[in-house]
Amino acid sequence: MQSIDELIAAARRAFAAAARPADLENEKARFLGKAGILTERLKSLARLEPQQRREEGARLNVAKEAIERLLNERRAQLAEDAVSAQLAQEAIDVTLPGRSRSRGGLHPVIRTWIRVEEIFRSIGFDVADGPEIETDWYNFTALNSPENHPARSMQDTFYVDAPDAQGQPLVLRTHTSPMQVRYARQHGPALRVIAPGRTYRVDDDATHSPMFHQVEGLWLDEDISFADLKGVYTDFVQRFFESDDLRVRFRPSYFPFTEPSAEIDLMFTSGPRKGQWLEISGAGQVHPAVIRNYGFDPEKTLGFAFGSGLERLTMLRYGVDDLRNFFSGDLRFLRQFQE
Ligand code: DAH
C-alpha cells in the first residue's frame, strides 16, 4: 500500500498536471471523492485493531488536510492563470504608432461642377437635377428630334432593354437637354436654371468617354434673346477661367432644339494656348416647337439654352490633354488637383 507521503506526492503531481479547472475537479474526485483513494483508505480503518486504527486514522487525516490544501492552492493558481491570460489577450500596446487617415480630394470634374454652380447661382439661376435613365420622349422627341429624324443618329445612344411602366422606350440620357423640358414644364414660363449631371454615349477615345458630364442652361421669359445668351455666357467663361484675356465666338451650327443654333468657341489671348479657337459648348435660341413642348406659347415665351461639357471645361482650365485621365483612377493624376 502507498505510504501517506507517497499519497500526498501523487496528489500533488496529479493536481499540478491538471491544466484546466475541470481536470482538477476530476483529480479531486479521484483522491477525495466517494470512491476516491483516500476515502477507501479511511473506510478500511474499520478492519484494523483499535490502536492501529487510531494511528493510521490520524495519519490519514493529516494526509486529507494536506491534499485539500494542495487542491485549494491549485484551484487558486488556475483562477489566477485564467485572469492573467485574459489580461494578456486584451492588452493594448499604447506604444504602437497611430493609424493615419489619408485625406481625400475632390475630383477635378466635380470641382468644375461646383464652380459652374457657384457662378450661375450668383446671377440668379436655380440648379436642377434629373434622371439619368430618361424616356425617349424627353431625350429626343420633346426636343424636336422626332422618330427617324437624322438628328437622333448624331448621338450614339445606349438603349435600355425594357420600357418604363407606361411602355415608353428608355435610354441613358445622351445629354442634359431633357432637363430643359422637365424643368420648364414644372416651373415655367419665366425661369433661369442650370442642370449639371452625368450623360452617356456609345463613344470611347481620347476626347470621348461613354460616361461624361454636361451642364444645361436655360433662361426663359417674354423677351430673352440671343444677345442675353452672349452676355451671360461670355461673363460665365471669364469668371470660370478667371481671365479677361479671352475671346468668345458664336459660330453658326445646327441643333434640332434651337433656332438659330451656335457652337460657342473660346480663344485665350495670352498664356500657353493663346491664339487657338477651342470649342466649348452648344447653344441657341430655343426652337418654337420645343417651347410648345414645354407647354408654353412660343409667341409669348422666348429664351436661350446651352449645353456645355464639364470635362471639356476642366481640360481647358487645367491643361489636361487626354479625357481618359479623368476616369482611369490613377492617383498620381488625381492628386494634382488636391488642395
Ligand atoms: N445637347 C447638345 C449636345 O449634347 C448640346 C446643346 C446644344 C445643348 C445646344 C443646348 C443647346 O441646350 O441649345 O450636343
Side-chain angles (χ1 to χ4, degrees):
M1 194 185 290
Q2 245 177 346
S3 75
I4 293 297
D5 287 345
E6 281 167 2
L7 188 60
I8 295 172
R12 186 196 304 276
R13 279 195 304 277
F15 294 165
R20 291 168 312 162
D23 300 336
L24 183 60
E25 296 313 308
N26 286 338
E27 291 305 323
K28 174 203 160 187
R30 205 156 68 76
F31 287 93
L32 302 171
K34 271 193 193 132
I37 301 168
L38 200 79
T39 319
E40 291 300 327
R41 298 259 307 249
L42 284 165
K43 280 185 203 159
S44 69
L45 288 179
R47 293 195 301 268
L48 299 179
E49 295 300 316
Q51 176 61 23
Q52 252 186 312
R53 189 192 303 160
R54 227 178 293 123
E55 286 170 18
E56 179 67 2
R59 278 199 298 275
L60 285 176
N61 272 333
V62 169
K64 190 176 175 211
E65 272 167 31
I67 291 172
E68 277 170 350
R69 189 168 29 79
L70 288 171
L71 175 69
N72 288 331
E73 281 170 11
R74 184 61 182 152
R75 275 181 180 150
Q77 180 68 52
L78 286 182
E80 203 177 298
D81 289 353
V83 172
S84 308
Q86 187 167 359
L87 285 178
Q89 202 178 21
E90 291 170 2
I92 296 170
D93 183 350
V94 294
T95 67
L96 280 177
R99 289 192 195 102
S100 66
R101 200 180 279 213
S102 58
R103 219 151 71 82
L106 290 176
H107 189 279
V109 173
I110 300 300
R111 285 190 184 282
T112 296
W113 179 327
I114 293 168
R115 263 182 95 67
V116 169
E117 280 195 13
E118 279 169 2
I119 293 170
F120 278 99
R121 272 189 209 280
S122 78
I123 55 167
F125 278 65
D126 285 332
V127 177
D129 191 15
E132 291 172 24
I133 298 175
E134 188 53 282
T135 63
D136 184 81
W137 190 81
Y138 276 109
N139 195 80
F140 293 119
T141 313
L143 292 164
N144 203 31
S145 325
E147 208 103 32
N148 304 321
H149 191 283
R152 290 204 184 196
S153 58
M154 281 166 70
Q155 304 187 346
D156 293 306
T157 310
F158 284 110
Y159 283 90
V160 175
D161 280 345
D164 76 356
Q166 281 77 46
Q168 284 239 39
L170 293 173
V171 301
L172 299 190
R173 65 178 178 187
T174 55
H175 50 181
T176 43
S177 302
M179 278 304 292
Q180 291 180 23
V181 190
R182 286 188 175 274
Y183 194 85
R185 283 162 80 94
Q186 289 192 352
H187 298 86
L191 59 84
R192 269 175 289 177
V193 70
I194 59 162
R198 275 183 273 278
T199 49
Y200 302 85
R201 285 185 206 173
V202 184
D203 232 346
D204 201 1
D205 59 41
T207 51
H208 299 91
S209 147
M211 188 284 296
F212 58 104
H213 299 77
Q214 286 190 339
V215 56
E216 196 73 14
L218 179 65
W219 187 343
L220 292 182
D221 213 320
E222 289 171 6
D223 53 1
I224 298 299
S225 70
F226 209 97
D228 296 301
L229 166 65
K230 285 182 131 177
V232 166
Y233 208 90
T234 303
D235 177 61
F236 159 67
V237 166
Q238 285 170 346
R239 290 175 64 185
F240 181 81
F241 290 101
E242 293 168 288
S243 166
D244 291 332
D245 293 344
L246 47 80
R247 287 176 55 200
V248 179
R249 167 173 92 176
F250 292 76
R251 177 166 43 85
S253 182
Y254 170 77
F255 296 100
F257 29 91
T258 40
E259 181 56 39
S261 302
E263 242 21 283
I264 306 177
D265 299 333
L266 161 84
M267 183 168 71
F268 295 102
T269 53
S270 67
R273 282 160 301 167
K274 88 173 187 210
Q276 214 183 321
W277 284 109
L278 307 158
E279 186 180 313
I280 47 170
S281 187
Q285 185 83 28
V286 181
H287 194 289
V290 176
I291 300 270
R292 233 172 272 123
N293 288 333
Y294 296 163
F296 312 138
D297 179 354
E299 297 293 329
K300 297 197 185 119
T301 301
L302 290 177
F304 69 75
F306 62 84
S308 317
L310 293 185
E311 282 77 9
R312 185 81 183 141
L313 287 169
T314 312
M315 288 168 83
L316 291 175
R317 180 163 155 81
Y318 296 113
V320 174
D321 53 13
D322 190 332
L323 174 132
R324 286 170 293 201
N325 282 321
F326 290 135
F327 307 118
S328 62
D330 187 334
L331 290 177
R332 291 168 305 177
F333 172 76
L334 295 172
R335 284 213 176 96
Q336 299 176 89
F337 303 92
Q338 211 164 321
E339 272 171 359

